[in-house]
Structures are given as structure tokens and as C-alpha cells.
Amino acid sequence: MVDVYLFSGFLGSGKTTLLKHMIQQMKKEGLKPAVFMNELGKLNFDSEEVEGGVPLKELLEGCICCTGSEKSEAQIQTLLAEEDFDVLLIETTGAAHPVEALDAIFSPLFAEQLHFKGIVTVADSKRWFDRNSLSPQVRSLFLEQVRHGDLILANKMDLLTEAEQGQAIYEIQSLNPSAQIIQTVQSKVPFQALKRMTVSGKSETVGAPLAKLNLGTKVLEFARPVNRETFEQWLRDLPETVYRIKGYVPLEGDKYPHSFQYAYGMAQWLPEFMSMKPQVVIIGEEIQQVELP
């Protein structure tokens, strides 16, 4: 399986700088990284920062989490089919919500090939103090990126006074108590800090325990067709921490599994006319105990 790290963070926070540092460190450890980058514009100047020889796919003119969802799946599927690599680094656009980004990249077609390690949020510490000057919608996105981080890099600490540094860490930790926070300058952090991120969240870090992931993924495979009413009752009984489900559900009496999407308590069924692997991907918090009916 390929380890996957999702780099989240607001515009200009330092995600691309982090990406460069990680590529260099991974290569020194003998690992081969691949990169998937998202940019809202027609040109992605950040892709020029990726070293030669590193497999790279891009999504331009669209956000990974909305209009570009299907294209994102196709690009990652192409990477998996055509390239040989150990780690996939995904850099989202600064306008991407972490939940939506995960939904876009974990397709039931290849989810079992990916080992999701967690979300690394690069938080601009200077902007943190200016967040109330942002529009309500933008401020909400900024805070959501921090709230869903599993590892938070409180970046640009050199731009703050010592008192401001302490205040920023306290406030960020209050918003996301389960995340480990590392103070950084120019997004410099050892790769070991990322490697310690695990789905179980039981790994220990120097100075503080890394609690359970805020967001995780789980692949569930059907052993047999299910009754639609039984399945929909199972959906109604799911905990509120299940945010997304997508995949292919085999229903009793139908030749092919149905394409299935679930979000915010609403389900969507679409008929398929070919045999697809009967499995679904679940995205949410505290989902390890969720099983099929």
C-alpha cells in the first residue's frame, strides 16, 4: 500500500515549501514520493518547485473538493497505474475543505491501495491573529482547515513575538485539542513527525501524545448483495461522525452493483451497467468500529 499525506492550509501558508522539504527527506531515506497538486488557476507555478524524477499530476482550473473531484480521482488512478512510488503527497489548494478533499481523492476504485496517514495543516501564525478581518466564509474555511488537522504546523513563528507565539499555540490547541502542534519557520519539520502519524493514533511523539485522527477513511467490501431497505436503515443508524460514503453497493435482485453516494444524511443511487468491485469508502471521525449490515 502507498502511504498518503494530505497537505492542507490557507493560501500562502507554506504548503509548497513543506512539500519540497518532505521530498528531499524522503529521498534521503530511500523512499520514492509522488505528488498530486491542485491549483485554482490555469497555471500551477508551484509545480515547478517539484524536483525532477518525482511523478507529478496536477489539477488546474478547479478545486479538488468540488468541480474537480472526478478529475482528481482520474489523475490519482493514472499515477497508481503508471508509476512506482512509496508515498503520495497531496497538496490541496488553499480554498479546499479537508473533508471535501478526502472525498475527492479516495475513490472506491483504488482506495484499498492507499494507506491514509493523516492531514498535515500548515497554519499561518501571523494570519491567525488577523483572522477576524477575513470574510465570514473565508474565516470559517481557515478555521476548518485547522480544526481537521492531525498534525498542525504553526508556521511563520519568526514573525511573532514570544507572547504572541504562546497565545497562538494556546488558541490553536483549544480549537483542535487532539492534534499535535509543531512551531515552524519556513515549514521546516522532520519527516519523522509525519511518519509517526497513524490511523490508530497510538504512536507517541516527543513531548506530547498524538491523539486519534480527526478524519479517517475505511474501505468496506461486500461479501454478498444486500437488501436496499436494510442498507438504508443502516445509513440512518450511522453515527453523525460519518460524513461521506461512496462506492458500489450490490443490491439483491440486480445484476450489477449500484453507484452510491452519501453526504450529510442524504443518499444517492445510480444504476451501473458493468460489474464494479462491491465496496464503499467511508470518510469521517471515529469510524473504525463501523461495519456493513
Side-chain angles (χ1 to χ4, degrees):
M1 297 180 71
V2 173
D3 285 345
V4 180
Y5 297 92
L6 181 74
F7 293 169
S8 176
F10 204 66
L11 300 164
S13 60
K15 296 189 299 298
T16 302
T17 303
L18 171 64
L19 181 69
K20 292 172 62 179
H21 291 324
M22 288 302 108
I23 289 174
Q24 293 167 0
Q25 293 183 57
M26 289 175 182
K27 284 187 170 183
K28 287 181 180 179
E29 292 198 13
L31 297 173
K32 184 175 181 181
V35 174
F36 177 67
M37 302 182 78
N38 179 209
E39 179 57 58
L40 290 175
K42 293 183 178 181
L43 299 176
N44 190 355
F45 295 103
D46 289 339
S47 65
E48 299 175 4
E49 302 292 332
V50 178
E51 296 181 14
V54 175
L56 169 69
K57 290 292 182 182
E58 301 172 88
L59 173 65
L60 304 179
E61 290 193 277
C63 180
I64 189 174
C65 60
C66 44
T67 57
S69 177
E70 292 184 1
K71 293 180 181 178
S72 299
E73 290 187 6
Q75 294 280 50
I76 293 174
Q77 189 172 20
T78 300
L79 264 179
L80 291 168
E82 297 180 353
E83 303 287 351
D84 180 26
F85 53 95
D86 305 302
V87 184
L88 178 59
L89 303 176
I90 298 174
E91 181 187 335
T92 65
T93 173
H97 189 291
V99 176
E100 306 289 346
L102 275 182
D103 183 50
I105 60 180
F106 278 87
S107 166
L109 298 176
F110 52 75
E112 71 275 6
Q113 298 175 248
L114 305 179
H115 177 214
F116 178 57
K117 295 283 286 184
I119 297 172
V120 182
T121 295
V122 185
D124 185 330
S125 301
K126 185 69 173 176
R127 188 184 293 273
W128 177 262
F129 286 101
D130 299 329
R131 63 189 183 278
N132 289 331
S133 65
L134 302 171
S135 69
Q137 184 177 8
V138 172
R139 182 171 63 250
S140 175
L141 174 63
F142 178 59
L143 295 176
E144 283 290 281
Q145 291 171 340
V146 172
R147 189 172 74 85
H148 285 291
D150 305 305
L151 172 64
I152 298 175
L153 305 187
N155 199 30
K156 305 184 182 182
M157 276 287 165
D158 55 323
L159 303 180
L160 303 181
T161 66
E162 188 172 328
E164 288 174 332
Q165 291 177 9
Q167 181 181 346
I169 295 301
Y170 174 79
E171 292 177 354
I172 291 173
Q173 192 78 77
S174 297
L175 179 63
N176 187 346
S178 68
Q180 182 195 13
I181 302 175
I182 299 178
Q183 300 181 48
T184 58
V185 175
Q186 296 183 349
S187 301
K188 290 184 178 179
V189 64
F191 176 44
Q192 293 300 320
L194 274 68
K195 288 177 68 175
R196 284 191 288 261
M197 299 168 67
T198 62
V199 172
S200 64
K202 298 184 185 298
S203 298
E204 293 187 355
T205 61
V206 178
L210 178 59
K212 64 177 178 59
L213 290 180
N214 286 341
L215 281 175
T217 65
K218 186 175 184 179
V219 180
L220 298 177
E221 187 169 346
F222 293 87
R224 63 186 65 83
V226 296
N227 177 272
R228 179 163 175 166
E229 290 185 4
T230 300
F231 187 78
E232 291 184 340
Q233 182 59 52
W234 173 76
L235 292 174
R236 289 190 286 270
D237 293 338
L238 286 173
E240 293 182 357
T241 52
V242 174
Y243 302 139
R244 298 282 195 276
I245 303 175
K246 63 180 179 179
Y248 301 96
V249 179
L251 295 178
E252 292 177 349
D254 291 335
K255 183 177 181 180
Y256 300 119
H258 284 244
S259 176
F260 177 77
Q261 298 271 353
Y262 171 90
Y264 302 111
M266 301 294 292
Q268 180 183 38
W269 298 86
L270 292 173
E272 281 287 341
F273 301 99
M274 63 180 67
S275 183
M276 306 298 291
K277 190 169 184 178
Q279 62 183 20
V280 291
V281 180
I282 295 179
I283 298 171
E285 301 177 85
E286 303 176 17
I287 59 173
Q288 293 309 307
Q289 303 304 316
V290 175
E291 299 293 345
L292 290 171

